[in-house]
Amino acid sequence: MPYDEKSKQRIIKYLEKLKEIRFRVKPDEYARYEAAARRAGYPSMRQFYLDALNEKTDAILNSENGD
Amino acid sequence: MPYDEKSKQRIIKYLEKLKEIRFRVKPDEYARYEAAARRAGYPSMRQFYLDALNEKTDAILNSENGD
């Protein structure tokens, strides 16, 4: 198996382990997310989503009164 | 066209207008999001995602120094 094929198989195996997050939003909500990501200098929407989820998750899990 | 079919067509037309957000995360990150959503009493992961994105978007767009 040539190197590129091995490498491809490794990437496929890795991606299969990941969980897919998928949902729909209204076009005007999406436009606001893009505007915010652009204003804050995000290089990709994915990174903006990850930061948003991680920040909210940390705020909940690190708070004393989260439950 | 019976009522149910009309209603179905209207829903399909509406869903087609929505933007799909889709990205992958590591399984342990996903588990943390679920734990946070559960702890904060979210009825669905979608609502948790929407709140996270809206809160981050508002924080950026409402700040004076966002850019």
Side-chain angles (χ1 to χ4, degrees):
Chain A
M1 192 156 63
Y3 178 72
D4 281 351
E5 186 58 27
K6 250 170 102 169
S7 175
K8 187 181 146 194
Q9 291 304 324
R10 205 180 304 124
I11 291 164
I12 287 171
K13 216 167 166 180
Y14 173 73
L15 288 175
E16 278 170 355
K17 277 189 214 146
L18 300 181
K19 282 284 289 180
E20 184 176 73
I21 289 179
R22 188 175 176 177
F23 56 100
R24 289 179 164 128
V25 298
K26 288 180 198 143
D28 56 324
E29 281 173 336
Y30 187 75
R32 285 185 77 241
Y33 303 154
E34 283 189 309
R38 204 180 309 121
R39 187 165 175 183
Y42 276 95
S44 72
M45 288 308 290
R46 178 174 187 268
Q47 195 54 57
F48 176 79
Y49 302 145
L50 290 178
D51 275 12
L53 295 185
N54 285 327
E55 285 162 20
K56 185 163 181 65
T57 294
D58 290 346
I60 292 168
L61 297 183
N62 296 337
S63 81
E64 301 281 324
N65 307 312
D67 51 357
Chain B
M1 193 157 64
Y3 177 71
D4 280 351
E5 186 58 26
K6 249 169 103 170
S7 176
K8 187 180 147 197
Q9 290 304 324
R10 204 180 303 124
I11 291 165
I12 287 172
K13 218 168 165 181
Y14 174 72
L15 288 175
E16 278 170 355
K17 276 190 213 146
L18 299 181
K19 281 284 289 180
E20 184 176 75
I21 289 181
R22 187 175 176 178
F23 56 101
R24 289 178 163 129
V25 298
K26 288 180 198 144
D28 56 324
E29 281 173 336
Y30 187 74
R32 285 185 76 242
Y33 303 155
E34 283 189 308
R38 202 179 312 119
R39 187 166 175 183
Y42 277 95
S44 72
M45 289 308 290
R46 178 174 188 269
Q47 196 53 57
F48 177 80
Y49 302 145
L50 289 178
D51 275 12
L53 295 184
N54 285 327
E55 285 162 19
K56 186 164 180 65
T57 294
D58 290 347
I60 292 168
L61 298 183
N62 296 337
S63 81
E64 300 281 325
N65 307 311
D67 52 356

